[in-house]
Amino acid sequence: MALDTGMKMIKTEKVTVENAAKTLGSGSLLVYGTPAMLLLVEKTAVALLDGHLDEGMTTVGTNLNVDHVSASPIGCEVSCEVTLTEIDRKKLTFAVEVKDPAGVIGKGTHERFIVDAEKFQNKANGKFDK
């Protein structure tokens, strides 16, 4: 595993009708939806970790604590920056900042745990086999 605190990744996306609150069912307006913002946070953290984990390992998101503080209209671009701030054995903590051209629209933290992909999937698949 080749992870260090301070590692950063930025991903961007355009605000569209498809990722708007009204379309996603998280509100009634055509502005960037909170579920879309949280998905962008997770995608950015996953992209940061790509190629840095031991073979057969992956991560699962376990906590999102992100305030959505400003609306972004259809057509603008939003960017998400995640910074790996803490490595506690298998628990990874990221600082999160999401911006549009006018400034910060989201800020907080995200946690992921490193797991053995095959074992985790098998356990999930067998969850109701009792």
Side-chain angles (χ1 to χ4, degrees):
M1 184 170 73
L3 294 174
D4 292 304
T5 57
M7 294 173 66
K8 295 181 183 205
M9 173 66 69
I10 297 174
K11 288 188 78 61
T12 61
E13 72 180 8
K14 193 167 210 92
V15 179
T16 65
V17 171
E18 289 76 23
N19 61 21
K22 183 174 183 175
T23 305
L24 297 174
S26 65
S28 61
L29 301 173
L30 289 173
V31 295
Y32 194 48
T34 302
M37 183 178 73
L38 296 177
L39 179 58
L40 182 59
V41 167
E42 290 212 82
K43 285 180 176 181
T44 307
V46 167
L48 172 75
L49 299 171
D50 188 37
H52 294 283
L53 301 176
D54 293 340
E55 189 169 332
M57 305 305 279
T58 190
T59 61
V60 292
T62 57
N63 183 277
L64 282 161
N65 184 9
V66 180
D67 294 324
H68 195 167
V69 298
S70 182
S72 302
I74 300 292
C76 80
E77 187 169 87
V78 295
S79 65
C80 174
E81 179 176 273
V82 299
T83 305
L84 182 57
T85 57
E86 185 179 349
I87 303 168
D88 181 7
R89 295 176 297 214
K90 294 185 181 240
K91 178 180 153 187
L92 307 175
T93 304
F94 302 86
V96 173
E97 188 171 76
V98 186
K99 296 179 179 179
D100 68 14
V104 174
I105 65 164
K107 193 169 182 86
T109 59
H110 175 42
E111 292 177 358
R112 302 188 71 78
F113 270 81
I114 301 169
V115 299
D116 180 295
E118 186 175 349
K119 286 182 185 176
F120 189 93
Q121 187 66 62
N122 288 340
K123 184 176 179 182
N125 291 348
K127 186 174 184 176
F128 299 109
D129 292 346
K130 295 186 182 187

